[in-house]
Amino acid sequence: MSPLTSRPSSPSLEKSSTPPSSALDPPPTPFQSSLSKTNTYIHRINQLLSTTPNLDLTLGTLSYTFSFLAAILPFSRIHARGSSGKAPHGYSHAQRLRTLGALLAETRVTLRLVIGVVGVYGSAVEAFGIPTPPSEDKIPRRESTRIAPARNPEMWSAWLSRSSVLAALAFQILENVAFLGDKGVLCLSPDRRARLWLYCSRAWCAGLGVELGRLGLQRWGFRRRDVDGEEKQGKGNLGVDKSEDHSGKDDHVARSEKKQGAEIRTISRRDEKGAGGREEWTRSVTIHTLYMLMAVHYSAEGGVMGEGMLSLCGCLASGFGLREAWRKIR
């Protein structure tokens, strides 16, 4: 055999003879890129609507938005009919938006009618410590010691959580009975149905008040954590100032205390945007305050706000919650 024919081919030549697959793939067209972004967006919407709380937030945002638009359109509340006896153009659009908003609001009530009590029961299991079937990976709970409530903020938080569950249960039962009465399933007089809706709104108002009290207790916990961090850092600074006349060991201890106090403040600032942090606390207070204004309106006979202001409060409250739910979807 000739040496020329038996000589193996160069690896570099073989490698260069077959271009990589990535080089063969054409770049995506603008249509393909937009289609990929649309698929990703629709997938996130599907994930958002797959859970009942997020679906309720979505329906609430749309319902209050349509009601608010109907309230601010011209001729929506005055001059319902012109001189010719026909409804003005702006009034017809306002009526359509108002009807669509009422339809979505009724869909929310129907959704809560089916699974609302189940959600309240899940909250009650967590708040009242109802025993669940034990599993192998769970550790038995310790018996809680009886401590004075004024010295144990966790006990106050537990009481507030249980009160909130009881108010939510009363709200859900009253709403279900009133809604079934409006649809003719239960034989209730119009006056009794009106009283049921009034008591339902007052139960909602009570639950929101308890939740705002729990958030106030949480704010007090944030202040205590800041004070503890400042005291720890102050001790560290004092130790560093006095460590000039002490040994190296005392200087090391003082610097460690100062570093520990700085770490506490750093963690406190880092937790402001995390779960249970101050940013989430501010958002929760804003949402519950807006809902409280709506609950006070429905709790008073005749209401205290106009249609536009009421719809705006509901739109903002539901929109803030929906934006946070959308942000958590990856």
Side-chain angles (χ1 to χ4, degrees):
M1 180 180 294
S2 173
L4 190 59
T5 58
S6 61
R7 184 179 178 180
S9 59
S10 174
S12 60
L13 294 177
E14 290 183 355
K15 185 176 181 180
S16 61
S17 61
T18 57
S21 58
S22 60
L24 296 177
D25 296 337
T29 62
F31 175 76
Q32 292 176 344
S33 299
S34 60
L35 183 61
S36 177
K37 294 180 180 179
T38 303
N39 291 338
T40 303
Y41 188 76
I42 293 178
H43 178 68
R44 293 186 66 184
I45 294 178
N46 186 28
Q47 287 184 324
L48 179 70
L49 301 180
S50 61
T51 58
T52 305
N54 293 341
L55 179 60
D56 182 74
L57 286 174
T58 304
L59 293 175
T61 303
L62 294 175
S63 172
Y64 290 123
T65 300
F66 292 144
S67 299
F68 177 71
L69 293 177
I72 63 176
L73 281 178
F75 306 106
S76 60
R77 302 182 65 179
I78 57 175
H79 303 298
R81 292 186 177 274
S83 59
S84 61
K86 296 182 179 180
H89 188 67
Y91 178 77
S92 62
H93 286 299
Q95 278 297 100
R96 294 189 185 98
L97 291 174
R98 188 176 289 108
T99 303
L100 181 57
L103 177 62
L104 294 176
E106 185 175 329
T107 304
R108 295 181 63 199
V109 178
T110 307
L111 187 65
R112 291 195 297 265
L113 174 68
V114 178
I115 57 178
V117 177
V118 178
V120 174
Y121 177 79
S123 302
V125 169
E126 182 179 357
F128 288 90
I130 300 176
T132 55
S135 58
E136 296 180 357
D137 56 346
K138 284 188 176 181
I139 301 176
R141 297 192 318 166
R142 297 180 180 178
E143 295 293 335
S144 59
T145 57
R146 294 183 176 272
I147 306 177
R151 299 181 180 180
N152 189 5
E154 295 182 358
M155 184 175 294
W156 281 108
S157 180
W159 286 358
L160 292 174
S161 298
R162 294 170 183 175
S163 302
S164 178
V165 170
L166 293 177
L169 181 61
F171 162 79
Q172 194 60 59
I173 293 176
L174 292 172
E175 185 187 54
N176 291 348
V177 175
F179 181 70
L180 293 176
D182 287 345
K183 297 303 177 183
V185 179
L186 300 177
C187 297
L188 299 175
S189 63
D191 294 338
R192 182 170 295 182
R193 294 200 303 268
R195 287 197 302 269
L196 284 174
W197 282 117
L198 187 64
Y199 295 150
C200 172
S201 301
R202 291 175 179 176
W204 183 31
C205 186
L208 291 171
V210 171
E211 188 64 21
L212 287 174
R214 187 191 64 81
L215 291 172
L217 185 64
Q218 187 178 6
R219 176 63 177 175
W220 179 66
F222 288 151
R223 291 181 177 178
R224 287 193 59 184
R225 186 174 60 181
D226 289 343
V227 170
D228 293 341
E230 291 176 358
E231 290 179 354
K232 197 68 176 179
Q233 189 177 18
K235 291 180 180 179
N237 292 332
L238 183 61
V240 170
D241 294 338
K242 293 182 179 181
S243 62
E244 297 178 356
D245 299 333
H246 290 73
S247 61
K249 182 178 180 180
D250 295 338
D251 181 73
H252 176 72
V253 172
R255 292 182 183 277
S256 299
E257 291 180 352
K258 180 181 179 181
K259 182 179 179 181
Q260 185 177 2
E263 288 177 353
I264 292 176
R265 295 180 62 86
T266 303
I267 294 175
S268 176
R269 289 192 298 268
R270 189 185 306 165
D271 290 343
E272 290 182 358
K273 297 184 178 181
R278 300 188 185 184
E279 184 177 349
E280 182 178 354
W281 180 87
T282 304
R283 181 170 53 253
S284 298
V285 169
T286 303
I287 292 174
H288 284 83
T289 302
L290 292 171
Y291 279 136
M292 175 62 78
L293 295 176
M294 300 176 61
V296 170
H297 168 81
Y298 288 119
S299 300
E301 297 182 1
V304 295
M305 292 189 297
E307 181 186 3
M309 184 61 64
L310 180 67
S311 302
L312 180 60
C313 291
C315 182
L316 292 176
S318 301
F320 289 152
L322 184 62
R323 184 184 63 177
E324 180 63 17
W326 178 264
R327 187 184 63 84
K328 292 180 179 179
I329 297 176
R330 301 298 180 185

